Amino acid sequence: MLAPVPHLTTALAGPLLQLEQSLLDRVVDIESWLRARWRETPAPFYCSVDLRNAGFKLAPVDTNLFPAGFNNLNPAFDALCVQAIQIAVERACPTAKGVLLVPENHTRNRFYLENVAALQNLIRQAGFNVRIGSLLPDLREPQTIKLDSGRELVLEPLRRDEDQVGVEGFTPCAVLLNNDLSGGVPPILEGLDQPVLPPLALGWHNRLKSQHFGLYREVAAEFGKLLGIDPWLVDPLFRNCGQINFMKREGEECLAMNVELLLEDIRAKYKEYGVREEPFVIVKADAGTYGMGVMTVRSVADMQNLNRDARKKMAATKEGKEVTGAIIQEGVYTYETWGPDRATAEPVVYMIDHHVVGGFYRVHGGRSNQENLNAPGASFQPLAFEEACNHPDLSCGPHDHPNRFYAYGVVARLALLAAAREVARSKAAP
Amino acid sequence: MLAPVPHLTTALAGPLLQLEQSLLDRVVDIESWLRARWRETPAPFYCSVDLRNAGFKLAPVDTNLFPAGFNNLNPAFDALCVQAIQIAVERACPTAKGVLLVPENHTRNRFYLENVAALQNLIRQAGFNVRIGSLLPDLREPQTIKLDSGRELVLEPLRRDEDQVGVEGFTPCAVLLNNDLSGGVPPILEGLDQPVLPPLALGWHNRLKSQHFGLYREVAAEFGKLLGIDPWLVDPLFRNCGQINFMKREGEECLAMNVELLLEDIRAKYKEYGVREEPFVIVKADAGTYGMGVMTVRSVADMQNLNRDARKKMAATKEGKEVTGAIIQEGVYTYETWGPDRATAEPVVYMIDHHVVGGFYRVHGGRSNQENLNAPGASFQPLAFEEACNHPDLSCGPHDHPNRFYAYGVVARLALLAAAREVARSKAAP
């Protein structure tokens, strides 16, 4: 039998152990600090955060405000999700009886459809009517899809009536987006008088990773100050370039310069902490999603030697949108492995409102610990967390499972806080 | 191996099945109605409710606002309790970092002490400092108690400094009572400027079961109207007598008359639903607790033939307080049994804020299905629920376990709502 939790294989657990010990020693201060922050900027409806655990560092690398993957969570924590959904809806729309769920148009992605079904089921169990309003342009009538899990999904055409959307005979109080709006806000969703969760402005048409990680940098600095630790232990360094066109080879100098500078910064940090690994960076679309346009780079030469295929891959993101800006992010090794084959694993933590409700590992035998595990075609195996991640076990040590998971929950909430500040900023914007 | 859930043995599941089916059909209406009720009268900090499941009827028989027994809950739902505690404290005292827990003085009751330790641990895992301020009169310095579970409990003398209480070096924002104040409010807790949860006025020195069940009757009537069902299916009939002295044989006529009238009413209901069981009533102290002064009565003659010992037992409740009022409550058969010996079982549901967080069965081989299972000396076996009770499973039938547990969670919340109205009434009182 496999161990129930991925193995953390690293000789360099020193700084992280110190971080985890700080988290344990300071649980009350951390939780109280976070509670104060949620009063300043309430958390978005839901969020998932991809983390990478390098042993010497534990950091978020991607924050998704329209999380898929609810089907990958441990059913043992359904009750926790249900409770958190009740709290989140109570806050957003206290009188709501119904929720309209607007998913992505990926009708051929069975995994994604399972996610929609799982999410619908959780919201239903929380005591709400929930129906699915699809943006599929050629959907004229309800379509029932039978899923491998045995669940059935009914997609209905989204309809607009004055300033409200709904489906036939159902115009609920709240609209829940599970669509990241990569292609822009569809006109049917513009100017609604129903609350839309999360707000439309947080779609990928408008959101920039560099803005998120800029806000995250501030959060990490405040958190580092609270705990008296180097924020770098939870914060991936990054730089960004505004105008890039991979196919036309525009903006390459900016990219090369920033890769160089970032690698230098990482090298300095590795030296400071005695990390003997080779630094690497991840280059990705600043506004992209779904792991398209993601590249691991170890040197400027790597950048310059890109062939046409690689350029093409980088140039397009989801829904064919052209990459115009890029973020160059410190690559964080993942030192968690799963099973006898030591498949690479990275944790994904789920939150509803400001409550951590679990997560899963992406396990990928075919990818190294320096690569993105969420690329298209790179079908990872999901491994549900056996812990809810929302509380420590003070009777065991910092590396014991419940506490490693609690550390994930804390760092994921730091990313959630950065996202909450994005929401606040988008509301303040004209 | 035993079945994981007690067996419901009754030929008379008809009306209950109908009730459970209504609960399932109307989940959204029920949850939405309850949410609106919590906005009117917020739930108390925590609560446990003893239910009895007669197959033809499912009703609360006792509502405890200072619940013990947290040690009996399923550890699988710790995360759910932690999340609910965070929500409850956030609401009661948003800036709290610490909580002072004031327990009962039962230092010889190991089960009770395990409860205090379990509760302390949950609050701690929720990210709060929590210390135990004891009312024990001869406690001069901290006392460490080692428990059978391996946990350690530190009782510290409660101290008052002007309008605040705490223990040495710890004066937290919130005071959480796990002491039902049967003996009245200790002067050290009077007139505090810290929030006290639940409010002092809800102690048993002040609370009357007849008031609670009077409010519950209103709740059940509203709920019955919502679902279009007879409120009796969830409401135990009752009557009460104001002045009783069992030893002096005062007030016996009032009692006899009310027992007679109540038995008649139950007989009429049994006839209406084709229930062939013999009606019985439970006579208990109106202000009592801990199962003292509880008596099963099948006829007026039962009452009149009480011997001296039985009178003595009825006359005194916890902390020797004399019974002065009595409530005569419709006895609800429990038709749940556990194991090959068919031990009698009754469910106890736990709530934190308005969230159901689980529960356990009291299992008692030596008691019949017409008797109170929580009497002193009557040491029941706790059997943790395998379900959280906070959500239905809409893919299975009304009698399947998740849905039986959901029904428990709904009826328990009706009793919680009556308690919330007690709190509101106590605040409105001069």
Side-chain angles (χ1 to χ4, degrees):
Chain A
M1 213 185 107
L2 297 177
V5 169
H7 188 57
L8 186 61
T9 48
T10 171
L12 271 159
L16 186 61
L17 194 64
Q18 194 189 331
L19 169 66
E20 288 177 335
Q21 187 61 58
S22 295
L23 297 185
L24 277 189
D25 292 345
R26 304 287 300 279
V27 168
V28 171
D29 294 322
I30 293 167
E31 296 296 332
S32 148
W33 179 81
L34 280 170
R35 279 195 297 276
R37 300 292 78 74
W38 306 129
R39 286 196 298 279
E40 289 166 4
T41 46
F45 186 85
Y46 53 8
C47 182
S48 71
V49 174
D50 293 4
L51 298 176
R52 304 271 289 193
N53 186 348
F56 55 87
K57 173 166 191 158
L58 171 62
V61 295
D62 203 6
T63 303
N64 194 337
L65 290 168
F66 306 90
F70 277 96
N71 52 317
N72 295 329
L73 302 186
N74 193 333
F77 299 120
D78 277 4
L80 195 66
C81 292
V82 162
Q83 188 177 272
I85 288 171
Q86 288 169 338
I87 296 158
V89 181
E90 273 173 37
R91 175 152 64 211
C93 195
T95 56
K97 283 181 83 167
V99 174
L100 182 75
L101 183 58
V102 179
E104 301 281 352
N105 289 344
H106 313 316
T107 45
R108 279 187 234 155
N109 184 335
R110 312 293 293 184
F111 301 112
Y112 179 72
L113 294 177
E114 291 283 5
N115 159 67
V116 176
L119 186 55
Q120 180 180 31
N121 191 46
L122 288 171
I123 301 171
R124 198 173 265 163
Q125 288 182 320
F128 299 94
N129 286 316
V130 52
R131 286 164 69 182
I132 298 167
S134 170
L135 289 163
L136 283 169
D138 41 4
L139 190 73
R140 297 271 175 268
E141 50 189 39
Q143 183 193 351
T144 301
I145 303 173
K146 266 209 161 293
L147 300 175
D148 297 340
S149 62
R151 286 201 172 115
E152 274 193 0
L153 202 60
V154 182
L155 304 181
E156 300 182 71
L158 193 65
R159 289 188 184 169
R160 178 146 179 166
D161 182 16
E162 299 198 346
D163 291 343
Q164 302 207 309
V165 284
V167 292
E168 181 70 38
F170 182 69
T171 308
C173 159
V175 178
L176 181 61
L177 291 181
N178 197 250
N179 182 312
D180 66 19
L181 309 176
S182 286
V185 177
I188 196 172
L189 294 179
E190 270 173 7
L192 295 178
D193 72 3
Q194 290 152 305
V196 177
L197 308 169
L200 294 169
L202 272 287
W204 274 124
H205 66 291
N206 196 38
R207 209 177 150 221
L208 293 176
K209 291 192 173 76
S210 55
Q211 188 184 48
H212 175 73
F213 281 101
L215 290 165
Y216 183 79
R217 187 184 285 165
E218 292 171 19
V219 168
E222 294 167 35
F223 186 72
K225 203 170 161 192
L226 174 76
L227 293 195
I229 58 162
D230 181 354
W232 180 73
L233 297 177
V234 296
D235 187 19
L237 304 176
F238 78 93
R239 294 176 158 270
N240 60 310
C241 289
Q243 290 298 327
I244 304 283
N245 188 320
F246 281 93
M247 293 313 289
K248 297 184 188 157
R249 310 196 65 152
E250 286 167 10
E252 288 197 356
E253 279 163 37
C254 172
L255 210 54
M257 186 186 74
N258 279 306
V259 165
E260 185 66 52
L261 288 170
L262 190 58
L263 285 169
E264 264 172 40
D265 289 347
I266 304 170
R267 216 167 276 128
K269 276 293 178 188
Y270 277 19
K271 203 174 162 194
E272 181 184 343
Y273 285 99
V275 177
R276 295 194 184 181
E277 304 294 335
E278 192 198 347
F280 69 102
V281 302
I282 301 284
V283 178
K284 46 191 175 183
D286 205 358
T289 178
Y290 270 67
M292 296 173 98
V294 173
M295 189 168 55
T296 300
V297 176
R298 288 172 201 81
S299 69
V300 175
D302 268 9
M303 273 305 323
Q304 286 158 343
N305 298 335
L306 276 186
N307 62 21
R308 203 186 144 74
D309 269 10
R311 280 175 203 286
K312 208 171 160 188
K313 232 172 148 181
M314 283 304 294
T317 58
K318 197 183 154 201
E319 307 201 3
K321 200 180 163 192
E322 265 183 44
V323 175
T324 53
I327 178 170
I328 306 112
Q329 191 178 45
E330 174 187 349
V332 182
Y333 283 89
T334 177
Y335 273 119
E336 289 183 288
T337 59
W338 172 252
D341 301 333
R342 301 187 154 230
T344 309
E346 73 179 18
V348 191
V349 176
Y350 281 70
M351 288 151 294
I352 296 172
D353 201 296
H354 59 260
H355 300 283
V356 180
V357 295
F360 68 94
Y361 279 99
R362 287 198 191 98
V363 178
H364 206 309
R367 294 231 157 188
S368 83
N369 62 4
Q370 299 158 53
E371 284 176 292
N372 174 31
L373 306 187
N374 194 26
S379 65
F380 58 82
Q381 293 297 315
L383 171 69
F385 286 176
E386 61 158 19
E387 308 276 343
C389 308
N390 74 342
H391 64 276
D393 183 342
L394 300 167
S395 65
C396 43
H399 259 7
D400 289 327
H401 300 159
N403 293 329
R404 202 206 298 171
F405 283 106
Y406 176 66
Y408 292 171
V410 171
V411 176
R413 280 182 290 167
L414 298 181
L416 179 70
L417 178 54
R421 290 178 181 181
E422 277 182 86
V423 175
R425 187 172 286 199
S426 77
K427 282 183 179 161
Chain B
M1 212 184 107
L2 296 178
V5 169
H7 189 58
L8 187 60
T9 47
T10 169
L12 271 159
L16 187 60
L17 193 63
Q18 192 190 334
L19 168 67
E20 288 176 336
Q21 187 62 56
S22 294
L23 297 184
L24 278 187
D25 292 344
R26 303 288 300 279
V27 169
V28 171
D29 295 321
I30 293 168
E31 295 297 331
S32 151
W33 179 81
L34 280 169
R35 280 196 297 277
R37 302 290 80 74
W38 305 130
R39 287 197 299 278
E40 290 167 2
T41 47
F45 186 85
Y46 54 9
C47 181
S48 71
V49 174
D50 295 1
L51 298 175
R52 305 270 289 193
N53 185 347
F56 53 88
K57 173 167 192 160
L58 171 62
V61 295
D62 203 6
T63 304
N64 195 337
L65 290 168
F66 306 91
F70 278 96
N71 53 316
N72 295 331
L73 302 186
N74 193 333
F77 298 119
D78 277 4
L80 195 66
C81 292
V82 162
Q83 193 183 70
I85 288 171
Q86 288 169 337
I87 296 157
V89 181
E90 272 173 38
R91 175 153 64 212
C93 195
T95 57
K97 285 181 81 167
V99 174
L100 182 75
L101 182 57
V102 179
E104 301 280 351
N105 289 344
H106 313 316
T107 46
R108 279 187 234 157
N109 183 336
R110 313 294 290 183
F111 301 111
Y112 180 72
L113 295 176
E114 292 283 4
N115 159 66
V116 176
L119 186 56
Q120 181 180 32
N121 192 48
L122 288 171
I123 301 171
R124 198 174 265 161
Q125 289 182 318
F128 299 94
N129 287 316
V130 52
R131 286 165 66 182
I132 298 166
S134 170
L135 289 163
L136 283 170
D138 41 4
L139 189 74
R140 298 271 173 270
E141 52 190 38
Q143 182 193 351
T144 301
I145 303 173
K146 266 207 161 293
L147 300 176
D148 298 339
S149 62
R151 287 203 172 113
E152 273 193 359
L153 202 61
V154 182
L155 303 182
E156 301 183 71
L158 193 65
R159 287 185 188 174
R160 178 147 181 166
D161 183 16
E162 299 199 345
D163 290 343
Q164 300 208 309
V165 285
V167 294
E168 182 70 37
F170 182 70
T171 309
C173 157
V175 178
L176 180 60
L177 292 180
N178 198 250
N179 182 312
D180 66 20
L181 308 175
S182 286
V185 178
I188 196 172
L189 293 178
E190 270 173 7
L192 295 177
D193 71 4
Q194 291 151 303
V196 178
L197 308 168
L200 293 170
L202 274 286
W204 275 125
H205 66 291
N206 198 37
R207 208 177 150 220
L208 292 177
K209 291 192 174 77
S210 55
Q211 188 184 46
H212 174 74
F213 281 100
L215 290 165
Y216 183 79
R217 186 183 287 165
E218 291 171 20
V219 168
E222 294 167 35
F223 185 73
K225 203 170 162 193
L226 175 74
L227 293 195
I229 58 162
D230 181 351
W232 180 73
L233 295 177
V234 295
D235 186 20
L237 303 176
F238 77 93
R239 295 178 157 266
N240 60 311
C241 290
Q243 291 296 327
I244 303 285
N245 189 320
F246 282 93
M247 293 314 288
K248 294 185 188 155
R249 311 196 67 151
E250 287 167 10
E252 287 195 359
E253 279 163 39
C254 172
L255 210 52
M257 186 186 73
N258 279 306
V259 165
E260 184 66 52
L261 289 171
L262 191 57
L263 285 170
E264 264 172 40
D265 288 347
I266 305 170
R267 216 166 278 129
K269 276 293 178 190
Y270 277 18
K271 200 173 165 195
E272 181 183 344
Y273 285 98
V275 177
R276 296 199 184 176
E277 303 294 334
E278 192 198 346
F280 69 102
V281 301
I282 301 284
V283 179
K284 45 192 175 183
D286 205 359
T289 179
Y290 270 68
M292 296 173 97
V294 173
M295 187 167 58
T296 300
V297 176
R298 286 171 201 83
S299 68
V300 175
D302 268 8
M303 274 305 322
Q304 285 158 342
N305 298 336
L306 276 186
N307 64 19
R308 201 184 147 77
D309 269 9
R311 280 173 202 286
K312 208 169 162 188
K313 232 171 147 180
M314 283 304 295
T317 59
K318 199 181 152 203
E319 307 201 4
K321 200 181 163 191
E322 265 183 45
V323 175
T324 53
I327 178 171
I328 307 111
Q329 192 177 45
E330 174 187 350
V332 182
Y333 283 88
T334 177
Y335 273 117
E336 288 182 290
T337 59
W338 172 252
D341 301 333
R342 305 189 152 225
T344 308
E346 74 180 15
V348 191
V349 176
Y350 281 69
M351 286 151 294
I352 296 174
D353 202 296
H354 60 259
H355 300 284
V356 180
V357 294
F360 69 94
Y361 278 98
R362 289 197 190 100
V363 179
H364 206 308
R367 295 229 159 188
S368 82
N369 63 4
Q370 299 160 53
E371 283 176 294
N372 174 31
L373 305 186
N374 195 23
S379 65
F380 59 82
Q381 293 297 312
L383 171 69
F385 285 176
E386 60 156 21
E387 309 276 345
C389 310
N390 74 341
H391 64 275
D393 183 341
L394 300 169
S395 65
C396 43
H399 259 5
D400 289 327
H401 301 159
N403 293 330
R404 202 206 299 172
F405 282 107
Y406 176 66
Y408 292 171
V410 172
V411 176
R413 280 182 289 166
L414 298 181
L416 179 69
L417 179 55
R421 292 179 179 181
E422 276 182 86
V423 175
R425 187 172 285 198
S426 77
K427 282 182 178 162

